[in-house]
């Protein structure tokens, strides 16, 4: 594999000490060489290639499912394939399993958020007055929910992508934690929650705060435990999993990876584990990255 091709393959880095009993399985995946990849909680990847082709890909069965071409987004953003590949496309989020009939993928680009199903002919733009006003989104209980830069929560239906304001923002953390707050929406046992990641001026994680939304009263409650769940977040889908189902995974912990959409070979990685019980942050220094040779 050429150096250029090696640089283009970005698979999830796995911390050697992120789990108490390291378990690794090296997979050689020539099918996704030269693509950008995003993980998901469904044992599938979402890949994007320079030819605008986007596909959910199962690394075990090698099954690929086609999605509408991203060329329509590139035309709307007036950018070349290379520009969309390297800069404009921030992340692809697999909302539901590709094995289900309602499989949906969200695309976060520099010019807005789009979504599509395998049966669609084109990507649908989410109808915001300001395309750049949404900083995270999730498919939850049959609808989309998003967080605006103002902190408000909005929702829209897959069949009618008009955004409706749903809930006020959580308490403003900036008054208590100077620096930058990155927000991640996630499903915690059927409850819509938000993890607020506090990073310093060097963009290094220093802590987390979690809130749970009451869907009836539209009020937020600060929570201090994930229970038996482990939360994974970063530049992929945010997901809370049952730790007992994954040997070595620590419950009530947040596993975080770097949130930057593009990482160079010398870019410092912001990777670690946050223990929600004792508020301890453990940074990881040794990373294993699996790539195709």
């Amino acid at each position: 594999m050429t150096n250029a091709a090696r640089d283009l393959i970005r698979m999830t880095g796995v911390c050697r000490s992120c789990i108490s009993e390291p378990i690794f399985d090296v997979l050689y995946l020539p099918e996704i060489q030269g693509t950008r990849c995003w993980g998901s909680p469904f044992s599938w990847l979402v890949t994007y290639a320079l030819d605008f082709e986007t596909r959910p890909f199962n690394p075990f069965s090698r099954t690929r499912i086609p999605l509408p071409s991203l060329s329509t987004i590139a035309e709307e953003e007036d950018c070349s394939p290379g520009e969309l590949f390297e800069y404009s496309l921030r992340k692809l989020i697999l909302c539901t399993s590709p094995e289900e009939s309602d499989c949906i993928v969200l695309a976060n680009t520099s010019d807005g958020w789009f979504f599509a199903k395998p049966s669609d002919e084109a990507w649908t733009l989410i109808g915001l007055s300001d395309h750049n006003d949404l900083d995270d989104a999730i498919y939850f209980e049959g609808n989309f929910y998003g967080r605006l830069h103002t902190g408000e929560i909005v929702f829209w239906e897959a069949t009618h992508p008009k955004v409706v304001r749903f809930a006020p923002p959580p308490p403003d953390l900036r008054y208590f934690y100077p620096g930058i707050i990155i927000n991640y929406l996630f499903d915690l046992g059927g409850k819509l929650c938000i993890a607020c990641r506090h990073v310093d001026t060097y963009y290094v994680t220093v802590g987390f705060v979690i809130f749970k939304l009451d869907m009836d009263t539209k009020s937020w409650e600060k929570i201090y435990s994930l229970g038996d769940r482990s939360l994974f977040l970063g530049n992929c889908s945010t997901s809370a999993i049952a730790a007992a189902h994954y040997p070595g995974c620590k419950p009530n912990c947040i596993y975080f990876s770097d949130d930057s959409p593009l990482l160079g070979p010398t870019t410092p990685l912001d990777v670690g584990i946050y223990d929600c019980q004792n508020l301890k942050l453990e940074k990881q220094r040794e990373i294993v990255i699996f790539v195709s040779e």
Side-chain angles (χ1 to χ4, degrees), residues 181-203:
I181 303 294
I182 308 173
N183 299 278
Y184 305 86
L185 293 169
F186 68 99
D187 180 352
L188 182 62
K191 303 295 184 180
L192 183 61
C193 296
I194 188 167
C196 304
R197 180 179 185 174
H198 176 214
V199 300
D200 61 19
T201 54
Y202 296 98
Y203 227 75

Side-chain angles (χ1 to χ4, degrees), residues 131-171:
H131 292 176
N132 294 305
D133 207 23
L134 195 66
D135 61 12
D136 195 28
I138 184 176
Y139 187 67
F140 176 75
E141 300 292 334
N143 289 311
F144 290 108
Y145 290 83
R147 182 190 182 276
L148 302 177
H149 290 333
T150 59
E152 292 179 281
I153 302 299
V154 297
F155 91 99
W156 63 96
E157 300 174 355
T159 56
H160 191 265
K162 180 181 179 181
V163 173
V164 177
R165 299 190 186 278
F166 183 77

Side-chain angles (χ1 to χ4, degrees), residues 48-275:
Y48 170 65
L50 273 169
D51 60 1
F52 295 118
E53 295 306 314
T54 305
R55 295 183 177 90
F57 172 77
N58 190 308
F60 304 104
S61 67
R62 310 300 171 97
T63 301
R64 288 182 285 187
I65 299 176
L67 286 166
S69 171
L70 281 171
S71 60
T72 54
I73 295 180
E75 292 171 1
E76 184 162 336
E77 297 193 6
D78 192 25
C79 63
S80 68
E83 289 172 335
L84 184 66
F85 187 93
E86 294 187 13
Y87 305 111
S88 181
L89 184 60
R90 295 168 179 167
K91 72 167 71 172
L92 291 168
I93 301 175
L94 189 58
C95 300
T96 54
S97 171
E99 298 170 354
E100 299 178 4
S101 58
D102 63 346
C103 173
I104 297 176
V105 177
L106 277 170
N108 178 11
T109 77
S110 60
D111 198 46
W113 286 72
F114 299 77
F115 69 91
K117 298 180 180 180
S119 58
D120 292 342
E121 295 183 358
W123 291 79
T124 300
L125 176 66
I126 296 170
L128 290 167
S129 57
D130 181 351
H131 292 176
N132 294 305
D133 207 23
L134 195 66
D135 61 12
D136 195 28
I138 184 176
Y139 187 67
F140 176 75
E141 300 292 334
N143 289 311
F144 290 108
Y145 290 83
R147 182 190 182 276
L148 302 177
H149 290 333
T150 59
E152 292 179 281
I153 302 299
V154 297
F155 91 99
W156 63 96
E157 300 174 355
T159 56
H160 191 265
K162 180 181 179 181
V163 173
V164 177
R165 299 190 186 278
F166 183 77
D172 195 337
L173 300 178
R174 290 175 296 178
Y175 294 110
F176 307 100
Y177 303 97
I180 303 169
I181 303 294
I182 308 173
N183 299 278
Y184 305 86
L185 293 169
F186 68 99
D187 180 352
L188 182 62
K191 303 295 184 180
L192 183 61
C193 296
I194 188 167
C196 304
R197 180 179 185 174
H198 176 214
V199 300
D200 61 19
T201 54
Y202 296 98
Y203 227 75
V204 175
T205 300
V206 296
F208 290 87
V209 179
I210 303 173
F211 293 95
K212 178 177 65 177
L213 178 63
D214 186 310
M215 303 293 282
D216 296 323
T217 64
K218 310 295 191 297
S219 60
W220 294 93
E221 175 190 355
K222 185 176 180 180
I223 61 176
Y224 300 88
S225 174
L226 296 169
D228 62 355
R229 303 280 168 164
S230 302
L231 180 63
F232 288 79
L233 54 79
N235 189 244
C236 291
S237 302
T238 305
S239 58
I241 65 170
H245 295 170
Y246 298 86
C249 192
K250 301 176 182 178
N252 200 23
C253 286
I254 299 175
Y255 291 74
F256 62 92
S257 62
D258 205 297
D259 198 72
S260 173
L262 291 172
L263 298 174
T266 60
T267 303
L269 295 178
D270 183 22
V271 179
I273 310 172
Y274 180 77
D275 190 317

